[in-house]
Amino acid sequence: MPPSLSLAAWLARLEQLHPSTIELGLDRVRRVRDALGLEPAFPLILVGGTNGKGSTCTYLEAMLGAAGYKTGVYTSPHLLRYNERVRVEGVESSDIDLVQAFGRIDAARGDTSLTYFEFGTLGAMMQFVDAGVDVAILEVGLGGRLDAVNVFDADAAVVTSVDLDHMDYLGDTREKIGLEKAGIFRAGRPAICADPRPPASLLEHARNIGADLRRVGRDFAAEREDGQWTYRGTEVRWPALPLPAMAGAYQLRNAAAALAVLEALRTRLPMSGQAIRKGLAAARLPGRFQRIARAPEVILDVAHNPEAARALAATLREQPAAGRTLAVVGMLADKDAAGVFAALSGEIDAWWTCMPDSPRARDAAALAAILCEHAGSSPISVQPDVNAALAEARSAAREGDRILVFGSFYTVAAVLDHAAIQQ
């Protein structure tokens, strides 16, 4: 396909090139990586985990950028534009850069089939190499051991948390999932675990390969006091840090995980306390307890599994509304809706279910049927789409009420996209 075609045309083609959306395994990606001669000489940081990956990447990007390093960041999924997935020095990749990267990959792959995500991973690394970044941060798409980003050896790897999600691919227990996520660790290199209750499988794998395992609560910690906090690491201590700009107590753990990486790589990527403080204060990520309106207050959150829902419930309790909390929820069919509702049911006074714009979305009526088992006496309304549900919730809101929109990246994206169109 000529590289002069649009990014939209390329993305449509990538969705059709491989017989399945997800095919875990590194052999095909490795062959194309070698054909392209992709051998990054800069430090690589891999970030995996069930939740907290995007936030941890954002903290790393902000702090390293504040220190003057030229950063490359690859994350997924995106909210509104594919370009969000690839950033150099905090700037999203342009259509032309993405198109040119896809064209080079297509020419190099021969008869090797690649998935959409595998094309994206190689394309991101190609742009980082071409840009001459000082450090690259790669977010794991799914799992870790067999995820495309793991074709590159991490100088430091993070597992933010381990919980039940993507069980069709990773296994149905925390032990099975933890082992898959630990696959990004490397022998003799820093392996950061920010889960306070890590599965034994993850710890055993780290020991077996001789990784430099650093655990939250044992080797590093966040100590909060008087509107600020201190990072205590194995060999360094950074005091008087500003609380993360992103809301939620769990964000402190994500920020501490990012600092544990910087501590481990400090001989290669020296950091000042000033850069750390500046980065922490500046780091923000759409869709993480994001307030987009007031009167009534509207909060967006991409929580879509039970662990994320428990963290979201804790944040709602930390920041109570003067009135009621109304919820608009749309989820994908493969997610544990019952587990999500069980975590949040005590925090929500009224519900609106909807169907986000995805072929994988759960029908709004089917979602309401699951919700009925957990909502107690809270009323439930079924609406056809996200913005219709939000409009109904706005109409029902009284002074002091707030509206939470959550359940999927697609759900949050629909609201952000509608808001952008309205401006």
Side-chain angles (χ1 to χ4, degrees), residues 157-179:
V158 187
V159 172
T160 56
S161 70
V162 180
D163 208 81
L164 302 179
D165 202 3
H166 299 296
M167 290 182 284
D168 290 347
Y169 295 97
L170 305 179
D172 56 1
T173 67
R174 288 185 78 241
E175 292 297 328
K176 292 177 182 177
I177 294 171
L179 184 59

Side-chain angles (χ1 to χ4, degrees), residues 9-21 113-116:
W10 266 104
L11 294 175
R13 180 172 184 248
L14 298 187
E15 290 177 344
Q16 303 300 320
L17 273 179
H18 197 74
S20 59
T21 304
S113 180
L114 296 175
T115 67
Y116 180 99

Side-chain angles (χ1 to χ4, degrees), residues 205-293:
H205 178 74
R207 284 194 299 268
N208 288 343
I209 67 170
D212 176 14
L213 181 63
R214 305 184 183 204
R215 293 174 56 181
V216 68
R218 186 192 71 177
D219 305 296
F220 69 95
E223 299 170 349
R224 180 172 178 169
E225 54 183 24
D226 299 329
Q228 58 185 20
W229 66 289
T230 294
Y231 170 82
R232 177 184 55 76
T234 306
E235 299 177 6
V236 303
R237 181 176 175 272
W238 284 306
L241 300 175
L243 294 174
M246 290 185 275
Y250 56 93
Q251 289 295 353
L252 203 56
R253 199 172 75 207
N254 294 334
L259 283 175
V261 173
L262 298 181
E263 177 189 4
L265 296 179
R266 68 190 184 283
T267 58
R268 298 183 67 182
L269 299 166
M271 294 287 295
S272 68
Q274 181 181 7
I276 288 169
R277 293 179 182 93
K278 183 178 178 182
L280 284 172
R284 287 174 174 79
L285 189 61
R288 277 66 172 184
F289 210 80
Q290 178 187 4
R291 290 180 173 86
I292 63 164

